[in-house]
Amino acid sequence: MSFPRCALLWARLPAGRRVGHRAAACSALRARVEPLPGALGRVSAVASAAASSSSASGGSKAPNTSLFVPLTVKPQGPSADGDVGAELTRPLDKNEVKKILDKFYKRKEIQKLGADYGLDARLFHQAFISFRNYIMQSHSLDVDIHIILNDICFSAAHVDDLFPFFLRHAKQIFPVLECKDDLRKISDLRIPPNWYPEARAIQRKIIFHSGPTNSGKTYHAIQKYLSAKSGVYCGPLKLLAHEIFEKSNAAGVPCDLVTGEERVTVGPDGKQAAHVACTVEMCSVTTPYEVAVIDEIQMIKDPARGWAWTRALLGLCAEEVHLCGESAAIDLVTELMYTTGEEVEVRNYKRLTPISVLDHALESLDNLRPGDCIVCFNKNDIYSVSRQIEIRGLESAVIYGSLPPGTKLAQAKKFNDPDDPCKILVATDAIGMGLNLSIRRIIFYSLIKPTINEKGEKEIEPITTSQALQIAGRAGRFSSKYKEGEVTTMNREDLSLLKEILKRPVNPIKAAGLHPTAEQIEMFAYHLPDTTLSNLIDIFVDFSQVDGQYFVCNMDDFKFSAELIQHIPLSLRVRYVFCTAPINKKQPFVCSSLLQFARQYSRNEPLTFSWLRRYIKWPLLPPKNIKDLMDLEAVHDVLDLYLWLSYRFIDMFPDANFIRDLQKELDGIIQEGVHNITKLIKISETHKLLNLESLSPENQSRLSGALKSQARRMRSTKTLGSKATEPPTSNAEEKSLASRLVQQGLLTADMLKQLEKEWLTQQTEHGKEKTEPGTHSKGTRRKKKEPPSD
């Protein structure tokens, strides 16, 4: 090699390497981390320094390293300048290098040092595999690491001298290691009152209106709202925001409406009114008001939406903030307001009309009376009960959560109308908020409500005291024609459990929800640019630090959307907005629509009215069965999604007004379907599109409403630790049950014959198993002396 070439290569080395010969350069490198056998004391010093630095910066829990997804570091290909390290020393023997790397990996001192730098056993292993692949597969290595490996091969350096290079590589594939301190600062969610300087700049008066359902607490708060010069109402539902919007304007107080999917300005020329009714997520924390009303403040504990109530409580700039809700939230609100230096005035209210739990259950739908509301906790029960009511020649209204707001209001109006023949309501717990209903008696069809746990598994548990009180309180409302409310159950066995649930005290709320902002996620992404949004959220939640009165809300829905559109090229801010769009992830068509909308956006192709009509295959026909009805509900949700996005991306979703008219037309089609729901159920049963009579071993209770209730009672008693009552087995009682099911229209004669045939076949096979040759052991003969177990 020529002298000029050698000089050029030498000049490219770090300054420390130009002093002395190769061994001196290695010693200079070794000085950074020297875990030689004779100098292991200095390893602990380096480790303790790293640990003290970490504790000083965060001092919090160790991160969940299973969330760290390794990035790919590609091996180096041939360099245009050639292999400089090989020219300065010699080419490396890959077999020798592999032995060195294996020895490095097995050293306990190295593993301990890696742990002190944040590399637990899992990360250490992943980083080493990547490091080894990089070394072994690269055509040429950086000069410094080439020289170190060469020196180790000739015993001029120690294997531990590889650690700085290993650590550098580990930080490349796990960038979180490089910026842990910064990430902890960004995700520090302590002292949230300081996030709202405008609210902290004024001394607010906090008034808590506490009381049960139908106690007038919200009425008194709204009266203050209407009499104020300016005000904001924050409600949990679009229906409630609409109600206050209409009441306010009817009272001569101009009021705007703001929800996620709708903006209505009543003033001329689009000028904003001094009053606004909005959903709680949409309230402004920078606009000054005289009075603010936050309804259902106990929802501050909601695992998914609680952050919106926390934001409103801490951030609204209002001289008076009126909170309406359960007494269970008083202590928490008082503690939170103590941190802002604001006192809470509590006003207690009692129920305006009496309500009583009856001493007898309904037991049969033959005992229904006008003004009854049967509360179910799943759609199949809704369909089954509606069908049984129709068989008895009665008409019922139906309300459940996935119905459009307009359809819910239409069904409520139908039920409340004294001139309408519909006197029975069948509903889910969706009636707990947002609807004014003239109910005399609440009948719990079941006390068991299916829920989804953290692992995504379905669980069946009794309803909580808070849920029971909220639903039961809808009976005998002050504004209805029934001045006394009654509550009971469908099944006699459930009545004692209902009384027990209602007598339990409501547990005080312990913590308020928080949620990362788009700005915080952007700062996270700045440090971790190659990390997916879903993984960013996981790391943020893991790194976050909260005070004892707060928790980080569940972000599973956000992550679901993030993973759904991950492959679509979008900016981080746009991706974040798409992921916050409220969708029902149980509806495949809604999920695929979010994906399609994001794809159109990424292509810069506006989603026009004509495009959306083609996409949803408009015009749509009235539903012919229950499946058609559910499909129409999904299309309504897609139009909601369009409207929600139209207020965030006006240019790309330009036809919001046309879509709203289309949605009203669709609402009418759905109303027609719900009005004829019993016909749809009948057709669905005929074509086996609705399985209400499944006889699978796993779910025999779906045979009928009666059997279903019996199964629920058994599950409920298991949950409460009590013994389940065995079903009667006498032939007379079996015939009685079969007769009742036939009379109720739940079984036909043909179905009954088929059931008898299947039962006889099973009994015959069971008998054959008992009498098969070779099975008569001594134990079997002894059993003959005992009474038959059957």
Side-chain angles (χ1 to χ4, degrees), residues 346-367:
V346 179
R347 298 179 184 175
N348 292 301
Y349 299 83
K350 293 183 178 180
R351 185 177 168 88
L352 298 173
T353 55
I355 187 169
S356 58
V357 182
L358 300 180
D359 291 327
H360 58 274
L362 187 70
E363 296 195 86
S364 171
L365 295 178
D366 294 328
N367 299 324

Side-chain angles (χ1 to χ4, degrees), residues 528-541:
L528 306 172
D530 298 314
T531 305
T532 66
L533 181 55
S534 176
N535 193 216
L536 276 177
I537 294 296
D538 281 334
I539 297 173
F540 184 98
V541 172

